[in-house]
Amino acid sequence: MAAKVALLALIISFLLAASPANSERRGFRATMIRRETAINFTRAARQSHERLSMLAARLDAAASRPSPQTPLRVDADGAGYDMEFSIGTPPLKLLALADTGSDLIWTKCGTCASCAPQGSPSYYPDKSSSFSKLPCSDSLCSALQSESFATCSAGGAECDYRYPYGLSTNSHHYTQGYMGSETFTLGSDVVPGVGFGCTTMSEGNYGTGSGLVGLGRGPLSLVSQLGVGAFSYCLTPDASKASPLLFGSLATLTGTGVQSTPLLIGIDTFYVVNLQSISIGAATTAGTGNNGIVFDSGTTLTLLADPAYSAAKTAILSQTALPRVANRDGFEACFQFSNGSSVTLPPMVLNFDGADMNLPTENFFMEVEHGVLCWIVQKSSSMSIIGNIMQMNYHIRYDVENSVLSFQPANCDSL
Ligand SMILES: *[C@@H]1O[C@H](CO)[C@@H](O)[C@H](O)[C@H]1NC(C)=O
Ligand SMILES: *[C@@H]1O[C@H](CO)[C@@H](O)[C@H](O)[C@H]1NC(C)=O
């Protein structure tokens, strides 16, 4: 009995020590690298709509709704951001797509002869002294099983996953393998026991890295596994520079200009906020209503559903004093522009619930080809997404624990 009481006391003190309220939160600093040096807007448009199909399909799957989306093509590449980290002992440095729209962390494992992406380094579990298989009884495997993404084999010693990124009706966008536990190195910090997918088979477009790091809200994501409660990033437009990706106590916004808006809860994985309206010059146009808008690191352009899209486009067209030119690649507000002339473009402000994002002009107008300036927002037929160009040079903090999204204008190169 005494032994039992002592054990209980030990368990309680352990739980107290582990609980966030009673311990100083750890902080980690990692970096992200922009893939493309110059944005190819034809490709960016295609990538963004593919990404939209994927996110909408996941949302519909989560809500058990049949999805109206068309299947993904798997041939495109985009201007996403790769996270830099190391895995294993000795550490192997890898780049993998940083993705706020999904949860699983995975890397190509072994020869992975028919895996996408090809050409990038692969991780070999037998060359690392800190690798172990995650048993089926592990809570991360249960999380996968609850979504029918995993099965057990080897008498429960192995958790085999098949994690889809597209539609269930399109079987060509997934990653598959067995779950493992490894030591990750983020910046200078060593983090043992991170559950990840050791991928032996995959199809789809994950860019040029070795896999993907899920930064969503579910239990499998890096954010959840680190137990840090919050993370932030600041995307630099300069592909030759690293963008900081900060976790826990390092993910703080200080000084002036910080604004915050609630993250809508009840929506798994994604970071959704309420966009009440959009101000364009003198006009205030519709927001995205009850559907909210997703902050996504993996989509390049911003995609707005109607009525928000059409109303904002009309306001842009009527307030931009430049000759209009033909639409291209889904851009419907394009103008002739000669780089010597000074032009005044209308300001664009995203009015969230309790926070206004007064965008720098270069976050919503870009020269998509020589002499052609376009409003780089496109129409969505389903959900609305704030893509990574619009997020550039903001320090954006996702407080997962308290469901708050905050942002602050920043020079990401010097953060
Ligand atoms: C941009 O991407 C498209 C589609 O992938 C490609 O056909 C085109 O050649 C690219 N343009 C440039 C300038 O690289
Ligand atoms: C302006 O256009 C000329 C070619 O017409 C180009 O050489 C120059 O780099 C451009 N300047 C800027 C600032 O884009």
Side-chain angles (χ1 to χ4, degrees):
M1 182 64 192
K4 264 192 189 159
V5 171
L7 182 62
L8 192 64
L10 189 68
I11 290 171
I12 289 170
S13 61
F14 177 77
L15 289 176
L16 287 176
S19 95
N22 289 281
S23 64
E24 191 70 6
R25 275 276 161 76
R26 288 184 73 188
F28 304 95
R29 185 185 180 98
T31 50
M32 299 197 285
I33 301 286
R34 191 172 177 82
R35 287 220 187 110
E36 285 189 332
T37 39
I39 299 169
N40 176 330
F41 284 92
T42 304
R43 204 150 58 194
R46 196 168 66 182
Q47 182 270 349
S48 299
H49 286 279
E50 287 175 352
R51 177 91 187 156
L52 170 70
S53 301
M54 184 193 97
L55 296 181
R58 290 182 71 89
L59 198 60
D60 286 340
S64 301
R65 279 196 301 262
S67 175
Q69 292 298 307
T70 51
L72 286 168
R73 286 190 308 258
V74 292
D75 59 348
D77 203 351
Y81 285 79
D82 282 324
M83 179 177 166
E84 295 182 298
F85 63 99
S86 298
I87 182 171
T89 311
L92 169 72
K93 196 170 173 182
L94 295 178
L95 287 173
L97 182 64
D99 184 12
T100 54
S102 65
D103 294 320
L104 183 68
I105 304 164
W106 62 269
T107 176
K108 292 190 300 175
C109 266
T111 48
C112 225
S114 52
C115 287
Q118 279 289 306
S120 51
S122 204
Y123 156 83
Y124 285 79
D126 53 350
K127 290 187 183 155
S128 169
S129 61
S130 45
F131 173 79
S132 61
K133 278 188 180 171
L134 266 193
C136 217
S137 56
D138 192 277
S139 63
L140 294 182
C141 190
S142 309
L144 287 164
Q145 284 178 295
S146 71
E147 295 187 87
S148 307
F149 295 159
T151 54
C152 300
S153 69
E158 190 172 299
C159 175
D160 299 314
Y161 63 89
R162 183 182 171 99
Y163 192 84
Y165 288 98
L167 297 173
S168 53
T169 50
N170 170 26
S171 55
H172 295 292
H173 208 196
Y174 65 90
T175 190
Q176 146 181 344
Y178 55 91
M179 291 298 291
S181 169
E182 253 299 10
T183 296
F184 277 51
T185 307
L186 307 175
S188 54
D189 291 291
V190 176
V191 187
V194 177
F196 75 106
C198 199
T199 283
T200 53
M201 184 72 214
S202 63
E203 286 186 74
N205 168 36
Y206 310 101
T208 52
S210 297
L212 188 147
V213 178
L215 295 171
R217 297 171 86 174
L220 290 150
S221 80
L222 183 60
V223 190
S224 300
Q225 289 200 56
L226 291 175
V228 287
F231 73 102
S232 67
Y233 57 63
C234 194
L235 304 176
T236 172
D238 185 345
S240 70
K241 301 217 169 86
S243 297
L245 171 62
L246 308 166
F247 296 92
S249 60
L250 295 182
T252 49
L253 308 185
T254 53
T256 56
V258 180
Q259 298 199 55
S260 298
T261 188
L263 281 170
L264 304 186
I265 48 177
I267 298 162
D268 285 355
T269 302
F270 302 135
Y271 298 103
V272 186
V273 298
N274 182 348
L275 177 63
Q276 294 186 334
S277 63
I278 302 173
S279 299
I280 291 169
T284 297
T285 64
T288 52
N290 292 334
N291 297 324
I293 190 164
V294 179
F295 268 81
D296 186 38
S297 63
T299 308
T300 309
L301 304 177
T302 289
L303 302 169
L304 285 176
D306 267 337
Y309 173 77
S310 296
K313 184 182 84 174
T314 302
I316 289 283
L317 290 174
S318 67
Q319 295 183 69
T320 304
L322 284 172
R324 192 167 169 198
V325 298
N327 300 346
R328 61 210 63 221
D329 296 322
F331 296 104
E332 299 186 316
C334 295
F335 305 91
Q336 190 185 320
F337 151 85
S338 55
N339 68 9
S341 64
S342 79
V343 293
T344 307
L345 298 165
M348 178 169 174
V349 185
L350 303 177
N351 305 307
F352 300 111
D353 190 1
D356 296 327
M357 195 174 222
N358 191 349
L359 297 165
T361 306
E362 58 273 23
N363 287 30
F364 60 97
F365 266 115
M366 288 188 107
E367 192 173 9
V368 309
E369 59 189 71
H370 185 69
V372 176
L373 192 68
C374 294
W375 182 53
I376 47 144
V377 175
Q378 296 201 356
K379 182 174 176 169
S380 164
S381 55
S382 54
M383 65 206 284
S384 298
I385 301 173
I386 298 179
N388 59 45
I389 293 177
M390 201 166 266
Q391 299 177 38
M392 284 177 180
N393 280 331
Y394 278 97
H395 187 186
I396 300 176
R397 178 174 194 264
Y398 299 81
D399 183 338
V400 185
E401 192 168 56
N402 299 304
S403 290
V404 176
L405 182 144
S406 304
F407 56 84
Q408 180 182 34
N411 178 356
C412 297
D413 296 343
S414 60
L415 198 73

